[in-house]
Every structure is written in C-alpha cells, then in structure tokens.
Amino acid sequence: MDDGAVQEINGLGQAARPRRADARRNQAALLDAAAAVFVRSGVEAPVRDIAAEAGVGTATIYRHFPTRADLIIAVYRHQVEACAAAGPALLAAGPTPYAALGRWIDMFVDFLVTKHGLAAVLRGDSAGFASLHSWFLDRLVPVCAQLLDAAADAGEIRSDIKAYELMRGVGNLCVGAGDDAGYDARRLAGLLIAGLREPH
C-alpha cells in the first residue's frame, strides 16, 4: 500500500473519530434535555416537550430511542453516570465537603424522579429492574460514602452516617413528589442533610 493510500485511510479514521465524539455529545445533550423535562413533568411528558428542550425534531428522538422505555432507561443510566462523576468533582471544586454533599444530594433527588418512573415502565420486567438497581447501588453508594467521609473528616457532620441509609432516607422523601405538584423533595432532603451537622 502506498503512502498516499495510508494517508487517505488515516485521514478517514481521523475524520470518523470526531463524528463519533459529536454523536456522543449530541446524545448526551438529548439525554440531559429529557432528564430536565422528566424532573419537571414526569416520565410521561410528551416527546415534543423533550424535543423542544433539546432543540431537535421528534424524529431525532425516535431514531435514537424507538420507545419511551428505551428513552427512560437511557436517561436513568446517563443520570447515574453523571451522579457518579459529580461526587469527586464537587469535592475538588469546594468550598467545603459539606457543601459538596448538599449539591450532590440535590442531583440525586432529581435523579430519583426518573428512577421512580423507571420502576413503573419496567413493572413487567422485574429481573431487568433488579439488575439496573444493583448497578445503581454499585455506582452511587461509594460516591455518597466518599462525600460523607470527607465531610465527617472535616468535622462538619456526624461520623456515624452510612451512605446506603442516607440514600434510602432521601429516596423515601422523594416518593411523595409524584403525587403533589407542590411537594418540594429538594427542600426536604436539604433539611435532612442539615440534620447531619455536627453541633458546635
């Protein structure tokens, strides 16, 4: 094979990689838009609302996600990964571990809206839901534990709080959000986090 052919192949490869990266970014933006709509309006929100939020046509959403279940599961996975990545990033950004914990819990509350919707969508697939739930715990419990440990080490919160019990507590506070538009799960979760403070 001559040098020109090699360069042509290499050029094609270099052109293809940015396209794949663009496609991933576009899909991530679409999932962010869907998550925002789900948080505001629930997982039964019209596809046209998601398309408007993302700035695309409804056909684009259906091309990526043929069914609502496909879209909800993709949003669920996307949010789990975002929450997992956010923990260390929030700790690094400061200003304090306790502040990072509070911001992370806000993200977690938003995520739980989608998670509850996912349970309804996968009602007939208990094995599929159980598998996703186990993966969610594997990804997020260690992140929550890292935030709690950092805040406890800084003397900002009690040191006897377990990540799983805190996440369960926040989850229970979020259950009422689907039945009452005036229910503010973030505010209630904030009160719970405030109760972790070490008295001075």
Side-chain angles (χ1 to χ4, degrees):
M1 185 179 293
D2 63 31
D3 290 344
V6 170
Q7 288 171 358
E8 184 178 348
I9 290 170
N10 287 340
L12 287 172
Q14 289 165 359
R17 277 191 292 276
R19 277 201 298 273
R20 284 195 294 273
D22 287 346
R24 284 194 297 273
R25 280 194 295 273
N26 291 343
Q27 184 156 324
L30 196 159
L31 292 173
D32 284 338
V37 172
F38 287 166
V39 168
R40 287 197 306 268
S41 308
V43 297
E44 295 302 324
V47 171
R48 66 177 176 273
D49 291 357
I50 298 168
E53 181 85 14
V56 300
T58 56
T60 298
I61 294 177
Y62 285 120
R63 186 167 64 250
H64 287 287
F65 309 105
T67 70
R68 184 175 294 271
D70 293 333
L71 177 59
I72 292 170
I73 291 169
V75 169
Y76 175 91
R77 288 186 171 278
H78 180 66
Q79 286 181 297
V80 168
E81 293 298 350
C83 279
L90 289 169
L91 276 177
T96 67
Y98 177 77
L101 174 65
R103 290 182 63 194
W104 189 84
I105 289 293
D106 282 346
M107 284 188 68
F108 184 58
V109 168
D110 290 347
F111 158 72
L112 288 175
V113 173
T114 308
K115 184 176 185 296
H116 291 144
L118 178 75
V121 166
L122 293 184
R123 189 174 290 118
D125 182 11
S126 57
F129 181 75
S131 174
L132 278 173
H133 184 68
S134 295
W135 171 75
F136 143 76
L137 291 176
D138 288 344
R139 294 292 287 132
L140 295 189
V141 170
V143 176
C144 185
Q146 181 185 19
L147 289 159
L148 286 171
D149 288 346
D153 290 346
E156 296 178 300
I157 65 169
R158 296 165 44 173
S159 60
D160 61 343
I161 310 299
K162 299 288 188 283
Y164 179 73
E165 68 183 2
L166 176 61
M167 291 167 65
R168 281 292 302 268
V170 172
N172 288 336
L173 289 174
C174 292
V175 170
D179 304 322
D180 181 355
Y183 188 94
D184 190 343
R186 268 196 178 199
R187 179 177 177 276
L188 292 175
L191 292 172
L192 175 63
I193 299 305
L196 304 183
R197 294 301 296 262
E198 191 69 76
H200 293 292

